[in-house]
Amino acid sequence: MEYIVIIIAAIFVNNIVLHQFLGICPFLGVSSRVSTSVGMSGAVMFVMTLATTVTWLIQTYILEPYSLMFLQTIAFILIIASLVQMVEIILKKVSPPLYQALGIFLPLITTNCAILGVALLTIQYDYSLLEGVVFAIANAIGFGLALLLFSGIREHLDLMDVPKGMRGVPIALVAAGILAMAFMGFAGLV
Amino acid sequence: MNQLQNFTKGFLKDNAVFVQFLGLCPTLAVTTSAINGLGMGLATTFVLLMSNLVVSLIKNLIPEKVRIPSFIVIIASFVTITDLVMAGYAPALHEQLGIFIPLIVVNCLVLGRAEAFASRRGTGSAVVDGLGMGLGFALALTILGGVREILGSGSIFGISFISGDGVLLFILPPGAFIVLGYLIAVVNKMNKTT
């Protein structure tokens, strides 16, 4: 039951993009086409789950027992950066088609604050390893959902007659605001 | 480009938030009030200034291939310093900003300036650039926070000028997107006319 609560809360109520404001850069950057959003969401889900697992293990078995908590930020970002590199190399070797699909998004992910954000939140909420993994997957789904919805909206926005000054990013941000308003309807669900 | 232009470009012409759309996550997340925006902006300014300084000082010692990881470690060290200092001396603000302090590490603005500017220029220029871009970022956050605070709770820097509530929407997440969208449109217009 508590896993279902975590999942619903992460996807709808506290949506990572529209409520927590993590991963805004890829949200605005790659959301102009539906196909690229799918690739990006896939890559994020992969790395987010892996990164949360590894950072949780490092936090619990190395940083906490030896009171190295002040190294948390440095340790986590290095883990994520090397993890992304490793995933890229392994994918290239093991599954070229998957690499073709996700490859160009992987380098962008190191500076995607959603990954580091979810890793830090998992520690902050005192989740167990399994809860952390569920939380990461749910957040990745939430990210994918927001990205997909938004890229659909942006494809339509291209065809709209928008006032000159508002074209491009400004109108996209206002549309994102309205989407965030729609997601507020889920508040109180859990 | 002289030093004055180098300093002032971050405020309007190359503003990180309004023109380059860098570092939007903390921009949107913490600007529920002007004071939060200012606090976040100044914390980022400190990190940007120090990382620009260190990167430009040791740029010749860093091998080309591992420069990005090296920059990240330098930035992460200063973020940790900021995090601990704020937790010690400004616990209320630290609590408000939450995980967005450690997340300065992945603020593309900081890494972007280290890679695009500090690793190619002299120390003096890098420091001026870091300070200018950082203060421009702080300015943008303060303006965004101020507008949201005025509309959302009818006060500015905590000084209330209406009784009762404002338009609550602007304090909530959707307000951040909408206000930033309009501010970007205004800055676009200003940059075109000058």
Side-chain angles (χ1 to χ4, degrees), chain B residues 1-22 45 48 52 109 113 117 125 127-141 143 187 191:
Chain B
M1 199 194 317
N2 64 35
Q3 292 295 21
L4 186 67
Q5 275 175 324
N6 187 10
F7 180 68
T8 54
K9 70 177 188 299
F11 288 90
L12 198 61
K13 195 165 75 61
D14 283 335
N15 189 285
V17 174
F18 296 140
V19 180
Q20 305 197 36
F21 316 125
L22 293 174
T45 305
L48 187 56
N52 257 9
L109 169 64
R113 293 325 286 178
F117 199 94
S125 300
V127 169
V128 172
D129 173 78
L131 201 60
M133 292 305 282
L135 290 177
F137 183 71
L139 180 74
L141 260 66
I143 293 175
V187 172
N191 272 335

CSV table of all heavy atoms in Angstrom, one decimal, chain B residues 1-22 45 48 52 109 113 117 125 127-141 143 187 191:
chain,number,residue,atom,x,y,z
B,1,MET,N,36.4,43.5,-25.7
B,1,MET,CA,35.4,43.9,-24.7
B,1,MET,C,36.1,44.4,-23.4
B,1,MET,O,37.0,43.7,-22.9
B,1,MET,CB,34.6,42.6,-24.3
B,1,MET,CG,33.3,43.0,-23.7
B,1,MET,SD,32.5,41.5,-22.9
B,1,MET,CE,32.7,40.2,-24.1
B,2,ASN,N,35.7,45.6,-23.0
B,2,ASN,CA,36.3,46.1,-21.7
B,2,ASN,C,35.7,45.5,-20.5
B,2,ASN,O,34.6,44.9,-20.6
B,2,ASN,CB,36.4,47.6,-21.7
B,2,ASN,CG,35.0,48.2,-21.7
B,2,ASN,OD1,34.1,47.6,-21.1
B,2,ASN,ND2,34.8,49.3,-22.3
B,3,GLN,N,36.3,45.8,-19.3
B,3,GLN,CA,35.9,45.1,-18.1
B,3,GLN,C,34.5,45.5,-17.7
B,3,GLN,O,33.7,44.8,-17.2
B,3,GLN,CB,36.8,45.4,-17.0
B,3,GLN,CG,38.2,44.7,-17.1
B,3,GLN,CD,38.1,43.2,-17.1
B,3,GLN,OE1,37.1,42.6,-17.4
B,3,GLN,NE2,39.3,42.5,-16.9
B,4,LEU,N,34.1,46.8,-18.0
B,4,LEU,CA,32.8,47.3,-17.6
B,4,LEU,C,31.7,46.6,-18.4
B,4,LEU,O,30.7,46.1,-17.8
B,4,LEU,CB,32.7,48.8,-17.8
B,4,LEU,CG,31.4,49.4,-17.3
B,4,LEU,CD1,31.4,49.4,-15.8
B,4,LEU,CD2,31.3,50.9,-17.8
B,5,GLN,N,31.9,46.4,-19.7
B,5,GLN,CA,31.0,45.7,-20.5
B,5,GLN,C,30.9,44.2,-20.0
B,5,GLN,O,29.8,43.6,-20.0
B,5,GLN,CB,31.4,45.7,-22.0
B,5,GLN,CG,30.9,46.9,-22.7
B,5,GLN,CD,31.4,47.0,-24.1
B,5,GLN,OE1,32.6,46.5,-24.3
B,5,GLN,NE2,30.7,47.4,-25.0
B,6,ASN,N,32.1,43.7,-19.7
B,6,ASN,CA,32.2,42.3,-19.3
B,6,ASN,C,31.3,42.1,-18.0
B,6,ASN,O,30.7,41.1,-17.8
B,6,ASN,CB,33.7,42.0,-19.0
B,6,ASN,CG,33.9,40.6,-18.6
B,6,ASN,OD1,33.0,39.7,-18.8
B,6,ASN,ND2,35.1,40.3,-18.2
B,7,PHE,N,31.4,43.2,-17.1
B,7,PHE,CA,30.6,43.1,-15.9
B,7,PHE,C,29.1,43.2,-16.1
B,7,PHE,O,28.3,42.5,-15.6
B,7,PHE,CB,31.1,44.2,-14.9
B,7,PHE,CG,30.4,44.2,-13.6
B,7,PHE,CD1,30.6,43.1,-12.7
B,7,PHE,CD2,29.6,45.2,-13.2
B,7,PHE,CE1,30.0,43.2,-11.5
B,7,PHE,CE2,29.0,45.3,-12.0
B,7,PHE,CZ,29.1,44.2,-11.1
B,8,THR,N,28.7,44.2,-17.0
B,8,THR,CA,27.3,44.6,-17.1
B,8,THR,C,26.5,43.6,-18.0
B,8,THR,O,25.3,43.7,-18.0
B,8,THR,CB,27.1,46.0,-17.5
B,8,THR,OG1,27.9,46.2,-18.7
B,8,THR,CG2,27.6,47.0,-16.5
B,9,LYS,N,27.2,42.8,-18.8
B,9,LYS,CA,26.5,42.0,-19.8
B,9,LYS,C,25.5,41.1,-19.2
B,9,LYS,O,24.5,40.7,-19.7
B,9,LYS,CB,27.5,41.3,-20.8
B,9,LYS,CG,28.3,40.2,-20.1
B,9,LYS,CD,29.1,39.5,-21.1
B,9,LYS,CE,29.8,38.2,-20.6
B,9,LYS,NZ,30.7,38.4,-19.4
B,10,GLY,N,25.9,40.6,-17.9
B,10,GLY,CA,25.1,39.6,-17.2
B,10,GLY,C,23.7,40.2,-16.8
B,10,GLY,O,22.8,39.4,-16.5
B,11,PHE,N,23.6,41.5,-16.7
B,11,PHE,CA,22.4,42.1,-16.1
B,11,PHE,C,21.2,42.1,-17.1
B,11,PHE,O,20.1,41.7,-16.8
B,11,PHE,CB,22.6,43.5,-15.6
B,11,PHE,CG,23.5,43.5,-14.4
B,11,PHE,CD1,24.9,43.6,-14.5
B,11,PHE,CD2,22.9,43.4,-13.2
B,11,PHE,CE1,25.6,43.6,-13.3
B,11,PHE,CE2,23.6,43.4,-12.0
B,11,PHE,CZ,25.0,43.4,-12.1
B,12,LEU,N,21.5,42.5,-18.4
B,12,LEU,CA,20.4,42.5,-19.3
B,12,LEU,C,20.7,41.7,-20.6
B,12,LEU,O,20.0,40.8,-21.0
B,12,LEU,CB,20.0,44.0,-19.6
B,12,LEU,CG,18.7,44.2,-20.2
B,12,LEU,CD1,17.6,43.7,-19.3
B,12,LEU,CD2,18.5,45.7,-20.5
B,13,LYS,N,21.8,42.1,-21.3
B,13,LYS,CA,22.0,41.6,-22.6
B,13,LYS,C,22.2,40.1,-22.6
B,13,LYS,O,21.6,39.4,-23.5
B,13,LYS,CB,23.3,42.3,-23.2
B,13,LYS,CG,23.4,42.1,-24.7
B,13,LYS,CD,24.4,43.1,-25.3
B,13,LYS,CE,25.9,42.8,-25.0
B,13,LYS,NZ,26.4,41.5,-25.5
B,14,ASP,N,23.0,39.6,-21.7
B,14,ASP,CA,23.2,38.1,-21.7
B,14,ASP,C,22.7,37.5,-20.4
B,14,ASP,O,23.2,36.6,-19.9
B,14,ASP,CB,24.7,37.8,-21.8
B,14,ASP,CG,25.3,37.9,-23.2
B,14,ASP,OD1,24.4,37.8,-24.1
B,14,ASP,OD2,26.5,38.2,-23.3
B,15,ASN,N,21.6,38.1,-19.9
B,15,ASN,CA,21.1,37.6,-18.6
B,15,ASN,C,20.9,36.1,-18.6
B,15,ASN,O,20.3,35.6,-19.5
B,15,ASN,CB,19.9,38.4,-18.2
B,15,ASN,CG,19.4,38.1,-16.8
B,15,ASN,OD1,18.9,37.0,-16.5
B,15,ASN,ND2,19.7,39.0,-15.9
B,16,ALA,N,21.4,35.4,-17.5
B,16,ALA,CA,21.4,34.0,-17.5
B,16,ALA,C,19.9,33.5,-17.6
B,16,ALA,O,19.6,32.5,-18.3
B,16,ALA,CB,22.0,33.5,-16.2
B,17,VAL,N,19.0,34.1,-16.8
B,17,VAL,CA,17.7,33.6,-16.8
B,17,VAL,C,16.8,34.1,-17.9
B,17,VAL,O,16.2,33.3,-18.7
B,17,VAL,CB,17.0,34.0,-15.4
B,17,VAL,CG1,15.5,33.6,-15.4
B,17,VAL,CG2,17.7,33.4,-14.3
B,18,PHE,N,16.8,35.4,-18.2
B,18,PHE,CA,15.9,35.9,-19.1
B,18,PHE,C,16.3,35.7,-20.6
B,18,PHE,O,15.4,35.7,-21.5
B,18,PHE,CB,15.7,37.4,-18.9
B,18,PHE,CG,15.0,37.7,-17.5
B,18,PHE,CD1,15.5,38.8,-16.8
B,18,PHE,CD2,14.0,36.9,-17.1
B,18,PHE,CE1,14.9,39.1,-15.6
B,18,PHE,CE2,13.4,37.2,-15.9
B,18,PHE,CZ,13.9,38.3,-15.1
B,19,VAL,N,17.6,35.6,-20.8
B,19,VAL,CA,18.0,35.5,-22.2
B,19,VAL,C,18.6,34.2,-22.6
B,19,VAL,O,18.3,33.6,-23.6
B,19,VAL,CB,19.1,36.6,-22.5
B,19,VAL,CG1,19.6,36.5,-24.0
B,19,VAL,CG2,18.5,38.0,-22.3
B,20,GLN,N,19.4,33.6,-21.6
B,20,GLN,CA,20.0,32.3,-22.0
B,20,GLN,C,19.2,31.1,-21.4
B,20,GLN,O,19.6,30.0,-21.7
B,20,GLN,CB,21.4,32.3,-21.4
B,20,GLN,CG,22.3,33.4,-21.8
B,20,GLN,CD,23.7,33.2,-21.6
B,20,GLN,OE1,24.2,32.1,-21.7
B,20,GLN,NE2,24.5,34.2,-21.2
B,21,PHE,N,18.2,31.4,-20.6
B,21,PHE,CA,17.4,30.3,-20.0
B,21,PHE,C,18.3,29.2,-19.3
B,21,PHE,O,18.0,28.0,-19.4
B,21,PHE,CB,16.5,29.6,-21.1
B,21,PHE,CG,15.9,30.6,-22.0
B,21,PHE,CD1,16.0,30.5,-23.3
B,21,PHE,CD2,15.1,31.6,-21.5
B,21,PHE,CE1,15.4,31.4,-24.2
B,21,PHE,CE2,14.5,32.5,-22.3
B,21,PHE,CZ,14.7,32.4,-23.7
B,22,LEU,N,19.3,29.7,-18.6
B,22,LEU,CA,20.1,28.8,-17.8
B,22,LEU,C,19.7,28.8,-16.3
B,22,LEU,O,19.3,29.9,-15.8
B,22,LEU,CB,21.6,29.1,-17.9
B,22,LEU,CG,22.2,28.9,-19.3
B,22,LEU,CD1,23.7,29.5,-19.3
B,22,LEU,CD2,22.2,27.5,-19.7
B,45,THR,N,25.9,33.3,-6.8
B,45,THR,CA,26.9,34.3,-7.2
B,45,THR,C,28.2,33.9,-6.5
B,45,THR,O,29.3,33.9,-7.2
B,45,THR,CB,26.5,35.7,-6.7
B,45,THR,OG1,25.3,36.0,-7.3
B,45,THR,CG2,27.5,36.7,-7.2
B,48,LEU,N,29.6,30.8,-8.2
B,48,LEU,CA,30.1,31.2,-9.6
B,48,LEU,C,31.4,31.9,-9.5
B,48,LEU,O,32.3,31.7,-10.3
B,48,LEU,CB,29.0,32.0,-10.2
B,48,LEU,CG,29.1,32.3,-11.7
B,48,LEU,CD1,29.3,31.1,-12.5
B,48,LEU,CD2,27.9,33.1,-12.2
B,52,ASN,N,34.8,30.3,-10.9
B,52,ASN,CA,35.5,31.0,-12.0
B,52,ASN,C,36.9,31.3,-11.6
B,52,ASN,O,37.8,31.2,-12.4
B,52,ASN,CB,34.7,32.3,-12.3
B,52,ASN,CG,33.9,32.1,-13.6
B,52,ASN,OD1,33.7,31.0,-14.1
B,52,ASN,ND2,33.3,33.2,-14.0
B,109,LEU,N,24.3,27.2,-15.4
B,109,LEU,CA,25.0,28.5,-15.5
B,109,LEU,C,26.4,28.4,-15.0
B,109,LEU,O,27.4,28.9,-15.6
B,109,LEU,CB,24.2,29.5,-14.7
B,109,LEU,CG,24.8,30.8,-14.4
B,109,LEU,CD1,25.0,31.6,-15.7
B,109,LEU,CD2,24.0,31.6,-13.4
B,113,ARG,N,29.7,28.8,-17.4
B,113,ARG,CA,30.7,29.9,-17.3
B,113,ARG,C,32.1,29.4,-17.1
B,113,ARG,O,33.1,29.9,-17.7
B,113,ARG,CB,30.4,30.9,-16.2
B,113,ARG,CG,29.1,31.7,-16.3
B,113,ARG,CD,28.8,32.1,-17.7
B,113,ARG,NE,29.6,33.2,-18.2
B,113,ARG,CZ,29.5,33.6,-19.5
B,113,ARG,NH1,28.6,33.1,-20.3
B,113,ARG,NH2,30.2,34.6,-19.9
B,117,PHE,N,34.0,30.4,-20.3
B,117,PHE,CA,34.7,31.7,-20.1
B,117,PHE,C,35.9,31.5,-19.3
B,117,PHE,O,37.0,31.8,-19.7
B,117,PHE,CB,33.7,32.7,-19.4
B,117,PHE,CG,34.2,34.1,-19.6
B,117,PHE,CD1,33.7,34.9,-20.6
B,117,PHE,CD2,35.1,34.6,-18.7
B,117,PHE,CE1,34.1,36.2,-20.7
B,117,PHE,CE2,35.5,35.9,-18.8
B,117,PHE,CZ,35.0,36.7,-19.8
B,125,SER,N,39.5,38.8,-15.8
B,125,SER,CA,38.2,38.8,-16.5
B,125,SER,C,37.3,37.7,-16.0
B,125,SER,O,36.1,38.0,-15.9
B,125,SER,CB,38.5,38.4,-18.0
B,125,SER,OG,39.4,39.3,-18.6
B,127,VAL,N,37.0,36.6,-12.9
B,127,VAL,CA,36.3,37.1,-11.7
B,127,VAL,C,35.2,38.1,-12.0
B,127,VAL,O,34.1,38.0,-11.5
B,127,VAL,CB,37.4,37.7,-10.7
B,127,VAL,CG1,36.7,38.4,-9.6
B,127,VAL,CG2,38.3,36.6,-10.2
B,128,VAL,N,35.5,39.1,-12.9
B,128,VAL,CA,34.5,40.1,-13.2
B,128,VAL,C,33.3,39.4,-13.9
B,128,VAL,O,32.2,39.7,-13.6
B,128,VAL,CB,35.2,41.1,-14.2
B,128,VAL,CG1,34.1,42.1,-14.7
B,128,VAL,CG2,36.2,41.9,-13.5
B,129,ASP,N,33.6,38.4,-14.8
B,129,ASP,CA,32.5,37.7,-15.4
B,129,ASP,C,31.6,37.0,-14.4
B,129,ASP,O,30.4,37.0,-14.5
B,129,ASP,CB,33.1,36.7,-16.4
B,129,ASP,CG,32.1,35.9,-17.1
B,129,ASP,OD1,31.4,36.3,-18.0
B,129,ASP,OD2,32.0,34.7,-16.7
B,130,GLY,N,32.3,36.3,-13.5
B,130,GLY,CA,31.6,35.5,-12.5
B,130,GLY,C,30.7,36.4,-11.7
B,130,GLY,O,29.5,36.1,-11.4
B,131,LEU,N,31.3,37.5,-11.2
B,131,LEU,CA,30.5,38.5,-10.4
B,131,LEU,C,29.3,39.1,-11.2
B,131,LEU,O,28.2,39.1,-10.7
B,131,LEU,CB,31.4,39.6,-9.9
B,131,LEU,CG,31.0,40.4,-8.7
B,131,LEU,CD1,30.8,39.5,-7.5
B,131,LEU,CD2,32.0,41.5,-8.4
B,132,GLY,N,29.6,39.5,-12.4
B,132,GLY,CA,28.5,40.1,-13.2
B,132,GLY,C,27.4,39.1,-13.5
B,132,GLY,O,26.2,39.4,-13.3
B,133,MET,N,27.8,37.9,-14.0
B,133,MET,CA,26.7,36.9,-14.3
B,133,MET,C,26.0,36.5,-13.1
B,133,MET,O,24.7,36.3,-13.1
B,133,MET,CB,27.4,35.7,-15.0
B,133,MET,CG,27.9,35.9,-16.4
B,133,MET,SD,26.8,36.5,-17.6
B,133,MET,CE,25.8,35.1,-18.0
B,134,GLY,N,26.7,36.4,-12.0
B,134,GLY,CA,26.1,36.0,-10.7
B,134,GLY,C,25.1,37.0,-10.2
B,134,GLY,O,24.0,36.7,-9.9
B,135,LEU,N,25.5,38.3,-10.2
B,135,LEU,CA,24.6,39.3,-9.8
B,135,LEU,C,23.4,39.5,-10.7
B,135,LEU,O,22.3,39.8,-10.3
B,135,LEU,CB,25.4,40.6,-9.6
B,135,LEU,CG,26.4,40.7,-8.4
B,135,LEU,CD1,27.1,42.0,-8.4
B,135,LEU,CD2,25.7,40.4,-7.1
B,136,GLY,N,23.7,39.3,-12.0
B,136,GLY,CA,22.6,39.3,-13.0
B,136,GLY,C,21.5,38.2,-12.7
B,136,GLY,O,20.3,38.5,-12.7
B,137,PHE,N,22.1,37.0,-12.3
B,137,PHE,CA,21.2,35.9,-11.9
B,137,PHE,C,20.4,36.3,-10.7
B,137,PHE,O,19.2,36.1,-10.6
B,137,PHE,CB,22.1,34.7,-11.7
B,137,PHE,CG,21.3,33.4,-11.4
B,137,PHE,CD1,20.6,32.8,-12.4
B,137,PHE,CD2,21.4,32.9,-10.1
B,137,PHE,CE1,19.9,31.6,-12.1
B,137,PHE,CE2,20.7,31.7,-9.8
B,137,PHE,CZ,20.0,31.1,-10.8
B,138,ALA,N,21.1,36.9,-9.7
B,138,ALA,CA,20.5,37.2,-8.4
B,138,ALA,C,19.4,38.3,-8.7
B,138,ALA,O,18.3,38.2,-8.1
B,138,ALA,CB,21.5,37.8,-7.4
B,139,LEU,N,19.7,39.2,-9.6
B,139,LEU,CA,18.7,40.3,-9.9
B,139,LEU,C,17.5,39.7,-10.5
B,139,LEU,O,16.4,40.0,-10.1
B,139,LEU,CB,19.4,41.3,-10.9
B,139,LEU,CG,18.5,42.4,-11.4
B,139,LEU,CD1,18.3,43.4,-10.3
B,139,LEU,CD2,19.0,43.1,-12.6
B,140,ALA,N,17.7,38.7,-11.5
B,140,ALA,CA,16.5,38.1,-12.1
B,140,ALA,C,15.7,37.3,-11.1
B,140,ALA,O,14.5,37.4,-11.1
B,140,ALA,CB,17.0,37.1,-13.2
B,141,LEU,N,16.3,36.6,-10.2
B,141,LEU,CA,15.6,35.9,-9.2
B,141,LEU,C,14.8,36.8,-8.2
B,141,LEU,O,13.7,36.5,-7.8
B,141,LEU,CB,16.5,35.0,-8.4
B,141,LEU,CG,16.6,33.5,-8.8
B,141,LEU,CD1,17.1,33.4,-10.2
B,141,LEU,CD2,17.3,32.7,-7.8
B,143,ILE,N,13.8,39.9,-8.9
B,143,ILE,CA,12.6,40.5,-9.7
B,143,ILE,C,11.5,39.5,-9.7
B,143,ILE,O,10.3,39.8,-9.4
B,143,ILE,CB,13.0,40.9,-11.1
B,143,ILE,CG1,14.0,42.1,-11.0
B,143,ILE,CG2,11.8,41.3,-11.9
B,143,ILE,CD1,14.6,42.5,-12.3
B,187,VAL,N,11.7,41.3,-21.2
B,187,VAL,CA,13.2,41.5,-21.4
B,187,VAL,C,13.5,41.4,-22.9
B,187,VAL,O,14.4,42.2,-23.4
B,187,VAL,CB,14.0,40.5,-20.5
B,187,VAL,CG1,15.4,40.6,-20.9
B,187,VAL,CG2,13.8,40.8,-19.1
B,191,ASN,N,15.6,44.3,-24.8
B,191,ASN,CA,16.8,44.0,-25.5
B,191,ASN,C,16.7,44.4,-27.0
B,191,ASN,O,17.7,44.8,-27.6
B,191,ASN,CB,17.2,42.6,-25.4
B,191,ASN,CG,18.0,42.3,-24.1
B,191,ASN,OD1,18.7,43.2,-23.6
B,191,ASN,ND2,18.0,41.1,-23.6
